[in-house]
Amino acid sequence: MDTAFQKILDEYSQLTSDMSSGGVLDMAKLGKRQAELEPVVARIKNLELRIKELEENQKLMEDADAEIKSMALDEGRRLEPEILNLKSEIEEMLLPRDPNDGKNVIVEIRAGAGGDEATLFVAEMFRAYGKFAEERGFKPHIVSSSRSDAGGLKR
């Protein structure tokens, strides 16, 4: 098992024991960290199970029975990509998070000099940014807007 993964498991175990002892002052902080680690720990434990299955499977490949070898080979072909996917998922989950990830953003788009052409450009930019946000799971909320006579947006 990867040492970074083992450190995560150790930290989670320590957090669990600290929280159950009740002697720690900042339970909210510990609980938050434990909640952050839970999905990672679940995947690490799943990875450990898959690795153990693969090791047992490799022992079956040494069996004299051709049918058992064939089944073990098929199972190994299924497990290897699953193990690699789990490892990459875990590594991605361990990347540092941006502290601004959970915060809201306000984007203001205004027409500059250029009259109707500027308002049409603003309308096009608004559609592009709106589509960009929705594709990434954000929920755009329009605070205020006003249409121009040409069908564009003034602000």
mmCIF file of all heavy atoms in Angstrom, residues 80-115:
data_model
loop_
_atom_site.group_PDB
_atom_site.id
_atom_site.type_symbol
_atom_site.label_atom_id
_atom_site.label_comp_id
_atom_site.label_asym_id
_atom_site.label_seq_id
_atom_site.Cartn_x
_atom_site.Cartn_y
_atom_site.Cartn_z
ATOM 1 N N GLU A 80 -7.316 -5.295 -12.718
ATOM 2 C CA GLU A 80 -6.170 -4.397 -12.925
ATOM 3 C C GLU A 80 -6.591 -2.979 -13.322
ATOM 4 O O GLU A 80 -6.121 -2.011 -12.724
ATOM 5 C CB GLU A 80 -5.193 -5.010 -13.921
ATOM 6 C CG GLU A 80 -4.418 -6.167 -13.315
ATOM 7 C CD GLU A 80 -3.555 -6.908 -14.318
ATOM 8 O OE1 GLU A 80 -3.605 -6.576 -15.526
ATOM 9 O OE2 GLU A 80 -2.832 -7.820 -13.894
ATOM 10 N N PRO A 81 -7.474 -2.804 -14.326
ATOM 11 C CA PRO A 81 -7.881 -1.421 -14.640
ATOM 12 C C PRO A 81 -8.683 -0.767 -13.508
ATOM 13 O O PRO A 81 -8.582 0.440 -13.280
ATOM 14 C CB PRO A 81 -8.745 -1.548 -15.891
ATOM 15 C CG PRO A 81 -8.847 -2.976 -16.225
ATOM 16 C CD PRO A 81 -8.018 -3.750 -15.266
ATOM 17 N N GLU A 82 -9.439 -1.575 -12.775
ATOM 18 C CA GLU A 82 -10.209 -1.040 -11.649
ATOM 19 C C GLU A 82 -9.266 -0.510 -10.574
ATOM 20 O O GLU A 82 -9.501 0.553 -9.994
ATOM 21 C CB GLU A 82 -11.118 -2.133 -11.081
ATOM 22 C CG GLU A 82 -12.121 -1.640 -10.093
ATOM 23 C CD GLU A 82 -13.092 -2.720 -9.638
ATOM 24 O OE1 GLU A 82 -13.263 -3.738 -10.338
ATOM 25 O OE2 GLU A 82 -13.671 -2.535 -8.555
ATOM 26 N N ILE A 83 -8.182 -1.232 -10.316
ATOM 27 C CA ILE A 83 -7.193 -0.805 -9.326
ATOM 28 C C ILE A 83 -6.530 0.497 -9.774
ATOM 29 O O ILE A 83 -6.364 1.434 -8.989
ATOM 30 C CB ILE A 83 -6.149 -1.918 -9.072
ATOM 31 C CG1 ILE A 83 -6.801 -3.060 -8.297
ATOM 32 C CG2 ILE A 83 -4.926 -1.381 -8.340
ATOM 33 C CD1 ILE A 83 -5.954 -4.305 -8.173
ATOM 34 N N LEU A 84 -6.158 0.562 -11.049
ATOM 35 C CA LEU A 84 -5.533 1.788 -11.566
ATOM 36 C C LEU A 84 -6.483 2.974 -11.477
ATOM 37 O O LEU A 84 -6.076 4.081 -11.109
ATOM 38 C CB LEU A 84 -5.083 1.580 -13.013
ATOM 39 C CG LEU A 84 -3.908 0.618 -13.213
ATOM 40 C CD1 LEU A 84 -3.644 0.415 -14.699
ATOM 41 C CD2 LEU A 84 -2.670 1.150 -12.515
ATOM 42 N N ASN A 85 -7.762 2.761 -11.796
ATOM 43 C CA ASN A 85 -8.749 3.839 -11.703
ATOM 44 C C ASN A 85 -8.920 4.309 -10.264
ATOM 45 O O ASN A 85 -9.005 5.514 -10.004
ATOM 46 C CB ASN A 85 -10.102 3.394 -12.270
ATOM 47 C CG ASN A 85 -10.095 3.307 -13.770
ATOM 48 O OD1 ASN A 85 -9.278 3.937 -14.439
ATOM 49 N ND2 ASN A 85 -11.010 2.523 -14.314
ATOM 50 N N LEU A 86 -8.991 3.365 -9.341
ATOM 51 C CA LEU A 86 -9.126 3.734 -7.926
ATOM 52 C C LEU A 86 -7.922 4.546 -7.449
ATOM 53 O O LEU A 86 -8.079 5.541 -6.742
ATOM 54 C CB LEU A 86 -9.302 2.496 -7.059
ATOM 55 C CG LEU A 86 -10.698 1.899 -7.009
ATOM 56 C CD1 LEU A 86 -10.673 0.543 -6.321
ATOM 57 C CD2 LEU A 86 -11.643 2.839 -6.286
ATOM 58 N N LYS A 87 -6.719 4.125 -7.837
ATOM 59 C CA LYS A 87 -5.516 4.860 -7.443
ATOM 60 C C LYS A 87 -5.545 6.283 -7.975
ATOM 61 O O LYS A 87 -5.236 7.232 -7.258
ATOM 62 C CB LYS A 87 -4.260 4.146 -7.938
ATOM 63 C CG LYS A 87 -3.863 2.953 -7.113
ATOM 64 C CD LYS A 87 -2.572 2.340 -7.620
ATOM 65 C CE LYS A 87 -2.171 1.147 -6.782
ATOM 66 N NZ LYS A 87 -0.933 0.520 -7.272
ATOM 67 N N SER A 88 -5.921 6.451 -9.247
ATOM 68 C CA SER A 88 -5.953 7.804 -9.810
ATOM 69 C C SER A 88 -7.049 8.647 -9.168
ATOM 70 O O SER A 88 -6.861 9.842 -8.942
ATOM 71 C CB SER A 88 -6.108 7.761 -11.332
ATOM 72 O OG SER A 88 -7.346 7.205 -11.693
ATOM 73 N N GLU A 89 -8.202 8.051 -8.843
ATOM 74 C CA GLU A 89 -9.267 8.782 -8.149
ATOM 75 C C GLU A 89 -8.790 9.265 -6.786
ATOM 76 O O GLU A 89 -9.036 10.414 -6.402
ATOM 77 C CB GLU A 89 -10.495 7.894 -7.948
ATOM 78 C CG GLU A 89 -11.362 7.724 -9.153
ATOM 79 C CD GLU A 89 -12.546 6.809 -8.869
ATOM 80 O OE1 GLU A 89 -12.924 6.642 -7.686
ATOM 81 O OE2 GLU A 89 -13.088 6.265 -9.840
ATOM 82 N N ILE A 90 -8.121 8.385 -6.064
ATOM 83 C CA ILE A 90 -7.637 8.739 -4.722
ATOM 84 C C ILE A 90 -6.602 9.854 -4.815
ATOM 85 O O ILE A 90 -6.641 10.820 -4.055
ATOM 86 C CB ILE A 90 -7.067 7.502 -3.996
ATOM 87 C CG1 ILE A 90 -8.179 6.488 -3.722
ATOM 88 C CG2 ILE A 90 -6.371 7.909 -2.704
ATOM 89 C CD1 ILE A 90 -7.686 5.124 -3.303
ATOM 90 N N GLU A 91 -5.672 9.728 -5.750
ATOM 91 C CA GLU A 91 -4.645 10.761 -5.911
ATOM 92 C C GLU A 91 -5.273 12.102 -6.263
ATOM 93 O O GLU A 91 -4.843 13.147 -5.771
ATOM 94 C CB GLU A 91 -3.635 10.333 -6.968
ATOM 95 C CG GLU A 91 -2.736 9.206 -6.493
ATOM 96 C CD GLU A 91 -1.920 8.567 -7.596
ATOM 97 O OE1 GLU A 91 -2.093 8.957 -8.786
ATOM 98 O OE2 GLU A 91 -1.113 7.686 -7.292
ATOM 99 N N GLU A 92 -6.305 12.078 -7.097
ATOM 100 C CA GLU A 92 -7.000 13.319 -7.457
ATOM 101 C C GLU A 92 -7.714 13.910 -6.240
ATOM 102 O O GLU A 92 -7.728 15.129 -6.037
ATOM 103 C CB GLU A 92 -8.015 13.050 -8.561
ATOM 104 C CG GLU A 92 -8.698 14.290 -9.084
ATOM 105 C CD GLU A 92 -9.632 13.992 -10.231
ATOM 106 O OE1 GLU A 92 -9.299 13.161 -11.084
ATOM 107 O OE2 GLU A 92 -10.716 14.610 -10.250
ATOM 108 N N MET A 93 -8.296 13.044 -5.411
ATOM 109 C CA MET A 93 -8.999 13.519 -4.217
ATOM 110 C C MET A 93 -8.028 14.131 -3.200
ATOM 111 O O MET A 93 -8.425 14.967 -2.386
ATOM 112 C CB MET A 93 -9.771 12.370 -3.562
ATOM 113 C CG MET A 93 -10.931 11.877 -4.393
ATOM 114 S SD MET A 93 -11.684 10.403 -3.701
ATOM 115 C CE MET A 93 -12.830 11.155 -2.550
ATOM 116 N N LEU A 94 -6.775 13.714 -3.239
ATOM 117 C CA LEU A 94 -5.785 14.204 -2.282
ATOM 118 C C LEU A 94 -5.141 15.518 -2.711
ATOM 119 O O LEU A 94 -4.381 16.114 -1.941
ATOM 120 C CB LEU A 94 -4.699 13.151 -2.047
ATOM 121 C CG LEU A 94 -5.168 11.885 -1.341
ATOM 122 C CD1 LEU A 94 -4.031 10.890 -1.232
ATOM 123 C CD2 LEU A 94 -5.739 12.197 0.020
ATOM 124 N N LEU A 95 -5.441 15.980 -3.927
ATOM 125 C CA LEU A 95 -4.895 17.258 -4.376
ATOM 126 C C LEU A 95 -5.441 18.372 -3.487
ATOM 127 O O LEU A 95 -6.592 18.333 -3.058
ATOM 128 C CB LEU A 95 -5.277 17.526 -5.834
ATOM 129 C CG LEU A 95 -4.617 16.630 -6.872
ATOM 130 C CD1 LEU A 95 -5.196 16.921 -8.253
ATOM 131 C CD2 LEU A 95 -3.116 16.823 -6.885
ATOM 132 N N PRO A 96 -4.625 19.391 -3.226
ATOM 133 C CA PRO A 96 -5.100 20.480 -2.361
ATOM 134 C C PRO A 96 -6.289 21.206 -2.992
ATOM 135 O O PRO A 96 -6.323 21.435 -4.198
ATOM 136 C CB PRO A 96 -3.900 21.415 -2.244
ATOM 137 C CG PRO A 96 -2.819 20.849 -3.061
ATOM 138 C CD PRO A 96 -3.264 19.574 -3.662
ATOM 139 N N ARG A 97 -7.243 21.561 -2.169
ATOM 140 C CA ARG A 97 -8.445 22.259 -2.622
ATOM 141 C C ARG A 97 -8.217 23.767 -2.582
ATOM 142 O O ARG A 97 -7.527 24.285 -1.709
ATOM 143 C CB ARG A 97 -9.641 21.914 -1.730
ATOM 144 C CG ARG A 97 -9.964 20.452 -1.714
ATOM 145 C CD ARG A 97 -10.636 20.036 -3.007
ATOM 146 N NE ARG A 97 -10.864 18.601 -3.022
ATOM 147 C CZ ARG A 97 -10.426 17.799 -3.962
ATOM 148 N NH1 ARG A 97 -9.730 18.269 -4.962
ATOM 149 N NH2 ARG A 97 -10.686 16.511 -3.914
ATOM 150 N N ASP A 98 -8.846 24.446 -3.524
ATOM 151 C CA ASP A 98 -8.816 25.899 -3.550
ATOM 152 C C ASP A 98 -9.753 26.411 -2.456
ATOM 153 O O ASP A 98 -10.904 25.984 -2.385
ATOM 154 C CB ASP A 98 -9.285 26.396 -4.922
ATOM 155 C CG ASP A 98 -9.134 27.893 -5.103
ATOM 156 O OD1 ASP A 98 -9.029 28.611 -4.083
ATOM 157 O OD2 ASP A 98 -9.124 28.348 -6.255
ATOM 158 N N PRO A 99 -9.298 27.309 -1.600
ATOM 159 C CA PRO A 99 -10.168 27.792 -0.523
ATOM 160 C C PRO A 99 -11.398 28.549 -1.043
ATOM 161 O O PRO A 99 -12.360 28.742 -0.320
ATOM 162 C CB PRO A 99 -9.267 28.708 0.307
ATOM 163 C CG PRO A 99 -8.084 28.994 -0.532
ATOM 164 C CD PRO A 99 -7.963 27.892 -1.536
ATOM 165 N N ASN A 100 -11.370 28.972 -2.286
ATOM 166 C CA ASN A 100 -12.498 29.712 -2.859
ATOM 167 C C ASN A 100 -13.506 28.809 -3.559
ATOM 168 O O ASN A 100 -14.468 29.308 -4.146
ATOM 169 C CB ASN A 100 -11.992 30.772 -3.842
ATOM 170 C CG ASN A 100 -11.180 31.835 -3.156
ATOM 171 O OD1 ASN A 100 -11.479 32.238 -2.046
ATOM 172 N ND2 ASN A 100 -10.129 32.286 -3.812
ATOM 173 N N ASP A 101 -13.290 27.502 -3.530
ATOM 174 C CA ASP A 101 -14.180 26.583 -4.240
ATOM 175 C C ASP A 101 -15.631 26.689 -3.809
ATOM 176 O O ASP A 101 -16.526 26.586 -4.629
ATOM 177 C CB ASP A 101 -13.712 25.135 -4.068
ATOM 178 C CG ASP A 101 -12.597 24.781 -5.022
ATOM 179 O OD1 ASP A 101 -12.310 25.577 -5.929
ATOM 180 O OD2 ASP A 101 -12.003 23.700 -4.844
ATOM 181 N N GLY A 102 -15.892 26.891 -2.542
ATOM 182 C CA GLY A 102 -17.261 26.913 -2.058
ATOM 183 C C GLY A 102 -17.905 28.292 -2.070
ATOM 184 O O GLY A 102 -19.017 28.455 -1.577
ATOM 185 N N LYS A 103 -17.236 29.278 -2.625
ATOM 186 C CA LYS A 103 -17.747 30.642 -2.573
ATOM 187 C C LYS A 103 -18.472 31.018 -3.864
ATOM 188 O O LYS A 103 -18.250 30.439 -4.916
ATOM 189 C CB LYS A 103 -16.602 31.615 -2.319
ATOM 190 C CG LYS A 103 -15.947 31.390 -0.969
ATOM 191 C CD LYS A 103 -14.861 32.376 -0.707
ATOM 192 C CE LYS A 103 -14.241 32.114 0.669
ATOM 193 N NZ LYS A 103 -13.147 33.009 0.932
ATOM 194 N N ASN A 104 -19.317 32.022 -3.765
ATOM 195 C CA ASN A 104 -20.062 32.527 -4.910
ATOM 196 C C ASN A 104 -19.236 33.537 -5.691
ATOM 197 O O ASN A 104 -18.287 34.113 -5.168
ATOM 198 C CB ASN A 104 -21.362 33.190 -4.451
ATOM 199 C CG ASN A 104 -22.304 32.198 -3.821
ATOM 200 O OD1 ASN A 104 -22.336 31.039 -4.212
ATOM 201 N ND2 ASN A 104 -23.068 32.646 -2.845
ATOM 202 N N VAL A 105 -19.647 33.774 -6.930
ATOM 203 C CA VAL A 105 -18.955 34.710 -7.799
ATOM 204 C C VAL A 105 -19.988 35.624 -8.433
ATOM 205 O O VAL A 105 -21.066 35.176 -8.819
ATOM 206 C CB VAL A 105 -18.189 33.958 -8.915
ATOM 207 C CG1 VAL A 105 -17.576 34.924 -9.901
ATOM 208 C CG2 VAL A 105 -17.123 33.070 -8.323
ATOM 209 N N ILE A 106 -19.660 36.891 -8.552
ATOM 210 C CA ILE A 106 -20.511 37.829 -9.276
ATOM 211 C C ILE A 106 -19.756 38.271 -10.520
ATOM 212 O O ILE A 106 -18.616 38.728 -10.440
ATOM 213 C CB ILE A 106 -20.876 39.057 -8.409
ATOM 214 C CG1 ILE A 106 -21.710 38.610 -7.217
ATOM 215 C CG2 ILE A 106 -21.599 40.098 -9.252
ATOM 216 C CD1 ILE A 106 -22.056 39.719 -6.258
ATOM 217 N N VAL A 107 -20.397 38.114 -11.669
ATOM 218 C CA VAL A 107 -19.812 38.543 -12.935
ATOM 219 C C VAL A 107 -20.701 39.641 -13.491
ATOM 220 O O VAL A 107 -21.906 39.451 -13.645
ATOM 221 C CB VAL A 107 -19.722 37.373 -13.944
ATOM 222 C CG1 VAL A 107 -19.185 37.854 -15.273
ATOM 223 C CG2 VAL A 107 -18.858 36.263 -13.388
ATOM 224 N N GLU A 108 -20.114 40.785 -13.775
ATOM 225 C CA GLU A 108 -20.869 41.899 -14.324
ATOM 226 C C GLU A 108 -20.399 42.133 -15.756
ATOM 227 O O GLU A 108 -19.206 42.265 -16.014
ATOM 228 C CB GLU A 108 -20.642 43.163 -13.490
ATOM 229 C CG GLU A 108 -21.409 44.348 -13.974
ATOM 230 C CD GLU A 108 -21.217 45.577 -13.092
ATOM 231 O OE1 GLU A 108 -20.412 45.522 -12.165
ATOM 232 O OE2 GLU A 108 -21.884 46.582 -13.369
ATOM 233 N N ILE A 109 -21.350 42.181 -16.667
ATOM 234 C CA ILE A 109 -21.040 42.417 -18.077
ATOM 235 C C ILE A 109 -21.805 43.664 -18.496
ATOM 236 O O ILE A 109 -23.029 43.706 -18.383
ATOM 237 C CB ILE A 109 -21.462 41.227 -18.964
ATOM 238 C CG1 ILE A 109 -20.883 39.929 -18.424
ATOM 239 C CG2 ILE A 109 -21.032 41.459 -20.398
ATOM 240 C CD1 ILE A 109 -21.411 38.695 -19.116
ATOM 241 N N ARG A 110 -21.079 44.668 -18.989
ATOM 242 C CA ARG A 110 -21.709 45.922 -19.419
ATOM 243 C C ARG A 110 -21.275 46.259 -20.836
ATOM 244 O O ARG A 110 -20.155 45.980 -21.233
ATOM 245 C CB ARG A 110 -21.308 47.087 -18.512
ATOM 246 C CG ARG A 110 -21.884 47.015 -17.145
ATOM 247 C CD ARG A 110 -21.471 48.247 -16.366
ATOM 248 N NE ARG A 110 -22.079 48.212 -15.064
ATOM 249 C CZ ARG A 110 -22.622 49.266 -14.499
ATOM 250 N NH1 ARG A 110 -22.623 50.427 -15.110
ATOM 251 N NH2 ARG A 110 -23.163 49.170 -13.304
ATOM 252 N N ALA A 111 -22.184 46.889 -21.533
ATOM 253 C CA ALA A 111 -21.868 47.365 -22.878
ATOM 254 C C ALA A 111 -21.030 48.632 -22.763
ATOM 255 O O ALA A 111 -21.349 49.523 -21.986
ATOM 256 C CB ALA A 111 -23.145 47.644 -23.662
ATOM 257 N N GLY A 112 -19.974 48.701 -23.536
ATOM 258 C CA GLY A 112 -19.137 49.902 -23.558
ATOM 259 C C GLY A 112 -19.577 50.808 -24.687
ATOM 260 O O GLY A 112 -20.716 50.763 -25.149
ATOM 261 N N ALA A 113 -18.667 51.635 -25.148
ATOM 262 C CA ALA A 113 -18.969 52.519 -26.276
ATOM 263 C C ALA A 113 -19.172 51.656 -27.517
ATOM 264 O O ALA A 113 -18.499 50.650 -27.719
ATOM 265 C CB ALA A 113 -17.822 53.496 -26.493
ATOM 266 N N GLY A 114 -20.100 52.014 -28.346
ATOM 267 C CA GLY A 114 -20.327 51.244 -29.566
ATOM 268 C C GLY A 114 -21.793 51.073 -29.876
ATOM 269 O O GLY A 114 -22.148 50.455 -30.875
ATOM 270 N N GLY A 115 -22.651 51.588 -29.012
ATOM 271 C CA GLY A 115 -24.074 51.587 -29.295
ATOM 272 C C GLY A 115 -24.665 50.198 -29.365
ATOM 273 O O GLY A 115 -24.397 49.339 -28.526
#
